[in-house]
C-alpha cells in the first residue's frame, strides 16, 4: 500500500499485523519495557519492517534503537522513517546521498476527537479540507497524518522541534498530493531549513497513509500519477545499485 506514495529510490516494508518472527534486538527494548503489550507489538513490528527495508538496501539485520529525542537511530548513510497505528506498521529507507529528508505516517481513517483539529490547524488549513470531503476519507485525520509525515521529514533534516501548528498543510484539489510549509524556520537549525516540502497520500483498507520525500538529486525522475495516485516503479537491490542510480540521475 505504501508503495503508491513513495518514489522508486525509497525502499519500504509494511505489515498489517504482527508476525511471530518479529522480535526486538539488543538495545531496542528500553522504550517499551514499561508499556502495554499492544504498544510493544507495534514498536517491535515497525523495527521488523525497518530490517526488511534495510535488507533491500543490501544491509544486514541490525538493531534500530531509539534516540533520546524519540527518533530511530539509522545506520550510517541511511535516512529512514517508521510509522505504526492500529492494524498497520511500516518503514521506509533510502541513502543520504539520494534523499535529504523522509517522513511517513499512518492513521486510521476515523474522525478526530472534538476540539483536536482546531488546536493544531489554522483557518486556511480548515477551509482547504472542504476539497477532500468527497473522497470517502476523514479530512481532519488526513490533515494530522500529513502534518506528522511532514514534521518527521523536516526534523530528520534540521534536528529541531517546531510546534505542530507551524507545519502548514495545503492539499491539491483533485489530486492526492499536498505541500507542507514550515513557519518560523531559522537557517541555523541543523544547517538546513526547508520552508516548503511536497507530499503524497493514499487511503485504503480503513487507513490513511502520507509520505514526504525530499530528494537531494534534482535530476531524479519525478513521481508519475495514475488516477490521482502516485505510482512509481520500485527499485530493489544492494546498496551499490543505489549508488549507480544516483550517478545516472
Amino acid at each position: 500500500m505504501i508503495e503508491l506514495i513513495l518514489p522508486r529510490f525509497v525502499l519500504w516494508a509494511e505489515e498489517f499485523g504482527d508476525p511471530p518472527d518479529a522480535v526486538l534486538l539488543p538495545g531496542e527494548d528500553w522504550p517499551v519495557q514499561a508499556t502495554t503489550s499492544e504498544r510493544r507489538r507495534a514498536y517491535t513490528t515497525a523495527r521488523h519492517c525497518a530490517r526488511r527495508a534495510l535488507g533491500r538496501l543490501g544491509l544486514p539485520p541490525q538493531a534500530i534503537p531509539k534516540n533520546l529525542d524519540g527518533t530511530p537511530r539509522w545506520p550510517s548513510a541511511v535516512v529512514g522513517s517508521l510509522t505504526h497505528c492500529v492494524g498497520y506498521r511500516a518503514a521506509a529507507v533510502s541513502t543520504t546521498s539520494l534523499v535529504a529528508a523522509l517522513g511517513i505516517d499512518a492513521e486510521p481513517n476515523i474522525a478526530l476527537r472534538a476540539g483536536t483539529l482546531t488546536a493544531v490547524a489554522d483557518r486556511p488549513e480548515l477551509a482547504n479540507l472542504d476539497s477532500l470531503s468527497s473522497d470517502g476519507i476523514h479530512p481532519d485525520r488526513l490533515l494530522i497524518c500529513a502534518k506528522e509525515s511532514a514534521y518527521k521529514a523536516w526534523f530528520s533534516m534540521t534536528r529541531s522541534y517546531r510546534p505542530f501548528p507551524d507545519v502548514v498543510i495545503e492539499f491539491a484539489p483533485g489530486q492526492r498530493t499536498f505541500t507542507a510549509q514550515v513557519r518560523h524556520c531559522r537557517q541555523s537549525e541543523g544547517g538546513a531549513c526547508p520552508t516548503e516540502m511536497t507530499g503524497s497520500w493514499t487511503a485504503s483498507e480503513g487507513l490513511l497513509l502520507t509520505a514526504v520525500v525530499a530528494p537531494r538529486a534534482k535530476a531524479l525522475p519525478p513521481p508519475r500519477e495514475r488516477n490521482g495516485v502516485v505510482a512509481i516503479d520500485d527499485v530493489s537491490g544492494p546498496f551499490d545499485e543505489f549508488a549507480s542510480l544516483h550517478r545516472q540521475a
Side-chain angles (χ1 to χ4, degrees):
M1 182 175 171
I2 200 168
E3 74 274 12
L4 295 175
I5 57 172
L6 290 175
R8 65 189 182 93
F9 46 87
V10 175
L11 302 183
W12 55 274
E14 64 184 4
E15 294 283 356
F16 293 86
D18 298 307
D21 58 334
V23 296
L24 293 177
L25 298 183
E28 291 182 328
D29 68 339
W30 68 266
V32 290
Q33 287 177 350
T35 191
T36 64
S37 59
E38 181 179 353
R39 167 68 179 172
R40 185 180 180 90
R41 287 194 301 270
Y43 179 92
T44 300
T45 302
R47 275 153 178 77
H48 174 74
C49 289
R51 281 184 271 281
R52 287 175 50 206
L54 290 172
R56 300 178 67 189
L57 274 178
L59 297 176
Q62 56 195 283
I64 310 296
K66 195 173 188 178
N67 293 314
L68 293 179
D69 61 15
T71 61
R73 188 184 309 160
W74 297 101
S76 176
V78 170
V79 60
S81 184
L82 302 177
T83 188
H84 52 78
C85 69
V86 176
Y88 187 79
R89 297 80 163 90
V93 300
S94 188
T95 68
T96 54
S97 63
L98 288 174
V99 172
L102 171 60
I104 62 172
D105 193 62
E107 298 284 340
N109 189 11
I110 58 176
L112 294 171
R113 288 177 296 187
T116 301
L117 188 61
T118 54
V120 298
D122 59 17
R123 289 184 178 179
E125 284 182 302
L126 296 175
N128 181 238
L129 295 184
D130 292 338
S131 64
L132 303 171
S133 59
S134 62
D135 281 331
I137 56 96
H138 289 275
D140 54 351
R141 181 72 68 165
L142 180 60
L143 177 62
I144 294 297
C145 192
K147 281 178 175 279
E148 285 279 5
S149 60
Y151 185 86
K152 289 178 182 179
W154 190 85
F155 188 85
S156 73
M157 183 182 294
T158 66
R159 315 307 296 182
S160 178
Y161 292 102
R162 298 296 326 153
F164 225 44
D166 281 358
V167 181
V168 181
I169 303 296
E170 181 177 0
F171 292 98
Q175 302 181 46
R176 295 195 169 191
T177 60
F178 60 89
T179 59
Q181 292 187 333
V182 181
R183 297 186 293 202
H184 312 304
C185 181
R186 299 188 302 273
Q187 189 65 36
S188 60
E189 293 174 337
C193 191
T195 57
E196 184 171 301
M197 299 175 289
T198 59
S200 302
W201 66 272
T202 190
S204 183
E205 306 293 335
L207 295 167
L208 300 171
L209 301 184
T210 58
V212 172
V213 181
R216 289 194 187 277
K218 294 182 180 180
L220 286 172
R224 296 197 308 271
E225 289 196 7
R226 189 177 301 134
N227 298 325
V229 177
V230 176
I232 303 180
D233 295 335
D234 195 38
V235 171
S236 60
F239 204 87
D240 56 358
E241 289 191 14
F242 263 57
S244 175
L245 173 65
H246 183 44
R247 287 194 297 270
Q248 294 171 11

